[in-house]
Amino acid sequence: MIKNIFLYLPLTLLVLTISCTDSKKNKPTFFGGKIINPKTKYVVLYAKDKVIDTILLDNKNKFLAEFTSLKEGLYYFEHGNENQYIYLEPKDSLMLRLNTWDFDESLVYAGKGAERNNILIDIFLEDENDRRSYYLINKFKPTIFKNKIDSILQIRLDTYNDYVKDHTKETDNYFKLLKIALTYPIFSRIERYPLNHSKINRHNSFIETKSNFYNHRNYIDFNNDSLMYYPPYTRYIRDYLYNVTYALGYKPMKNEYTANFTVDLLKSINDKISSENSKNAFLKSTVLEHFYKKSSCNFNTKTFDTFFKYSTNVKDKSLVKNILNDGEAIHKGDEIKDFLFYDFTEQPINIQDFVLNKNSLLVFWNEDYYSKVFLSTRIPFLKRKFPDLNIAIIEIDGNSLNRIPNIDIKNQYYINTKNLKNNFLTSGMPRTILVNKNGIVENGYASIASQNIYYQLKQLTKNN
């Protein structure tokens, strides 16, 4: 159901919206709104991964941007650490209102283009709210699961058909996106069913399904670069790739993937995805995700060799090569030494002095990969679990002004990689190093985002 969002927007925005309905040619496209409890002083608009505009908030936390040559398509806006997708067309005057304390749930649109975006946010929220019900039906046998999921899919298709019937002026491209928004999350549930079913029922193997279980695959476009940054599309492709790789004969996996599985997954990506851009994106995300999930400086050369074989992206290859070189610079069994980092009074600290007689957790980070919100919840949690642990949260090429809330300032530092003689942070990617009280590295490439970190920290501190 579409919300009556005109009740929520100030009169000035409604006047702007109405003023855009005149008959002048070459009318611009407007995007604006109001942010309640803003996290930053700006909103950033993206097309794929490219910044279209950075729009400043005024003293009333409103923003407005005008575009004279904006093309129809999928965009997303970002504020603070959150984002949401919007579909814009030339001559739209899309206005939003949201409260950052309840970002997605509070988001409403008004103006030209509002209806098509309100249904997209409604679909997003419905998918988020239905997770528990999907969890329950994963317990059932394939025939029962499929009957229930087909019923849900039919409701989604009825919603789509009703919208198409009532909105004849929408473009074919938007209708295609709407259908993907409605159906691909359901298709993802089907792809994940074998793994979810085995986990919920504690089976060590996958249940067999009939040949028509995956009939939806006949209607999938696996090479749509324009949707590569749209979560419903990307999640489905990812779930499909994992499922077809598991079907090669693997058992369900929990905490980390075997090297052979990763290699076969990379091969599946290469075989199933023909679009070069999409293929490279999936290859990169897979090799990095599996490496960090493993949370270890033990590099499997076969995995990385397979990535280098299939990827054609020079920048991605350089990043992964830097990670491998970083791992060689500091690894398990090395003495941690020969570099300085700085506290927020800009005083240098020698790493050997910092770790002296203390089991230490060194987290190197930057905001491109770890958000402050993630760190402000994750680090205090680990601190409560391991109260005697010596912790340093060190921003890569940071400064004394970029403080993380909810973390003691005494645990926050920064490092200048240009001054490192033996640079172990050339990739700029997050890196966690575990050091025992003798100053010896126990793990040179751990990850605080991995489930394995609990066992690794327990082992580190057991001889405290």
Side-chain angles (χ1 to χ4, degrees):
M1 180 178 178
I2 302 301
K3 307 178 183 73
N4 188 357
I5 41 78
F6 289 96
L7 298 176
Y8 298 89
L9 285 169
L11 181 60
T12 53
L13 291 184
L14 294 179
V15 171
L16 172 62
T17 300
I18 295 169
S19 71
C20 290
T21 62
D22 60 31
S23 59
K24 293 180 181 180
K25 294 182 179 180
N26 300 320
K27 290 185 294 186
T29 304
F30 291 96
F31 172 59
K34 182 172 183 177
I35 309 290
I36 301 170
N37 300 309
K39 299 296 185 183
T40 64
K41 282 295 183 181
Y42 53 87
V43 171
V44 185
L45 182 65
Y46 292 84
K48 296 185 180 179
D49 60 341
K50 306 296 183 184
V51 174
I52 300 299
D53 199 4
T54 299
I55 315 163
L56 297 178
L57 303 184
D58 64 16
N59 58 5
K60 295 183 179 179
N61 298 327
K62 298 177 183 177
F63 68 97
L64 182 64
E66 178 181 340
F67 305 95
T68 57
S69 58
L70 184 139
K71 296 180 180 179
E72 176 189 353
L74 187 67
Y75 297 80
Y76 72 93
F77 67 90
E78 185 177 74
H79 178 75
N81 294 305
E82 306 231 38
N83 65 69
Q84 192 52 261
Y85 284 79
I86 55 176
Y87 195 92
L88 292 174
E89 295 179 11
K91 304 179 184 180
D92 275 353
S93 53
L94 186 67
M95 303 295 152
L96 65 82
R97 181 182 177 94
L98 67 83
N99 188 329
T100 62
W101 291 353
D102 206 7
F103 193 97
D104 296 315
E105 288 78 2
S106 68
L107 178 58
V108 290
Y109 298 101
K112 190 173 185 298
E115 258 197 297
R116 78 173 81 95
N117 285 289
N118 276 317
I119 191 173
L120 290 178
I121 191 66
D122 286 347
I123 294 166
F124 170 83
L125 292 174
E126 182 178 340
D127 287 330
E128 291 293 303
N129 293 333
D130 285 350
R131 286 185 177 183
R132 177 167 175 77
S133 60
Y134 282 114
Y135 173 84
L136 294 174
I137 68 172
N138 278 311
K139 293 182 177 181
F140 300 133
K141 293 181 178 179
T143 52
I144 300 175
F145 170 86
K146 194 65 163 55
N147 287 337
K148 290 182 178 295
I149 211 79
D150 284 347
S151 297
I152 297 170
L153 183 60
Q154 187 58 54
I155 293 171
R156 291 291 184 97
L157 290 173
D158 290 342
T159 299
Y160 170 77
N161 291 328
D162 289 343
Y163 190 92
V164 171
K165 180 181 177 181
D166 296 337
H167 299 82
T168 56
K169 292 184 179 180
E170 294 284 10
T171 66
D172 288 342
N173 285 335
Y174 173 73
F175 285 144
K176 289 177 182 177
L177 180 78
L178 177 62
K179 198 167 190 177
I180 286 172
L182 284 162
T183 60
Y184 275 46
I186 311 302
F187 297 157
S188 282
R189 304 285 182 183
I190 299 173
E191 298 289 352
R192 291 198 299 269
Y193 166 77
L195 184 61
N196 288 336
H197 180 81
S198 66
K199 287 182 177 179
I200 292 170
N201 294 291
R202 298 182 180 181
H203 295 163
N204 293 322
S205 60
F206 291 113
I207 195 168
E208 291 187 6
T209 57
K210 293 183 178 180
S211 58
N212 65 350
F213 193 79
Y214 300 108
N215 277 352
H216 63 272
R217 292 176 180 173
N218 297 325
Y219 310 102
I220 300 297
D221 178 4
F222 290 95
N223 296 285
N224 194 328
D225 283 344
S226 65
L227 294 177
M228 188 45 58
Y229 292 88
Y230 188 47
Y233 176 82
T234 307
R235 287 193 195 110
Y236 172 76
I237 301 298
R238 182 183 184 277
D239 291 334
Y240 162 77
L241 291 166
Y242 273 79
N243 197 12
V244 297
T245 304
Y246 269 119
L248 296 175
Y250 289 97
K251 301 292 185 182
M253 299 177 202
K254 296 180 180 179
N255 292 331
E256 64 182 76
Y257 300 103
T258 65
N260 286 339
F261 180 87
T262 303
V263 167
D264 279 337
L265 179 56
L266 295 173
K267 289 179 180 177
S268 295
I269 294 169
N270 184 66
D271 293 341
K272 304 293 184 181
I273 309 297
S274 58
S275 163
E276 186 175 18
N277 289 337
S278 297
K279 180 184 296 187
N280 286 334
F282 278 112
L283 289 171
K284 174 189 174 183
S285 63
T286 298
V287 77
L288 291 180
E289 178 191 345
H290 286 208
F291 171 66
Y292 278 100
K293 193 174 182 117
K294 191 170 184 288
S295 189
S296 169
C297 57
N298 295 325
F299 296 92
N300 186 284
T301 57
K302 188 177 180 181
T303 296
F304 290 99
D305 287 345
T306 305
F307 166 78
F308 290 128
K309 176 182 176 182
Y310 293 137
S311 177
T312 60
N313 187 296
V314 175
K315 186 177 180 181
D316 292 350
K317 287 184 174 183
S318 177
L319 173 67
V320 173
K321 285 177 181 177
N322 284 339
I323 290 175
L324 294 173
N325 292 334
D326 291 347
E328 288 299 317
I330 295 180
H331 49 75
K332 183 175 181 179
D334 285 349
E335 182 183 359
I336 194 85
K337 61 180 181 178
D338 296 334
F339 68 87
L340 301 175
F341 55 99
Y342 299 84
D343 64 20
F344 275 27
T345 67
E346 301 186 356
Q347 294 300 307
I349 299 170
N350 187 296
I351 185 60
Q352 288 157 287
D353 294 335
F354 183 82
V355 302
L356 185 64
N357 298 322
K358 300 173 184 175
N359 293 314
S360 300
L361 171 72
L362 311 176
V363 180
F364 298 90
W365 72 285
N366 69 50
E367 289 191 83
D368 289 339
Y369 302 101
Y370 277 170
S371 72
K372 289 183 179 180
V373 173
F374 169 73
L375 291 170
S376 66
T377 54
R378 189 66 164 164
I379 298 302
F381 176 78
L382 293 176
K383 183 66 176 175
R384 289 193 298 272
K385 283 277 188 180
F386 304 95
D388 297 325
L389 195 62
N390 184 36
I391 297 178
I393 313 303
I394 307 169
E395 185 179 10
I396 301 170
D397 292 321
N399 58 62
S400 60
L401 302 176
N402 199 19
R403 181 174 179 180
I404 306 169
N406 204 36
I407 296 178
D408 193 327
I409 197 170
K410 294 178 181 178
N411 295 121
Q412 297 189 49
Y413 308 88
Y414 64 96
I415 191 169
N416 187 340
T417 58
K418 293 180 181 178
N419 296 335
L420 294 177
K421 293 180 180 179
N422 188 18
N423 196 339
F424 58 95
L425 299 168
T426 61
S427 71
M429 294 284 288
R431 180 171 189 179
T432 298
I433 299 176
L434 309 184
V435 184
N436 66 28
K437 58 187 178 182
N438 298 316
I440 304 300
V441 174
E442 291 290 342
N443 190 331
Y445 237 122
S447 170
I448 59 170
S450 169
Q451 292 294 319
N452 294 336
I453 195 69
Y454 303 111
Y455 172 77
Q456 292 163 352
L457 290 176
K458 188 174 181 180
Q459 290 296 108
L460 178 67
T461 57
K462 70 178 182 179
N463 297 319
N464 203 3

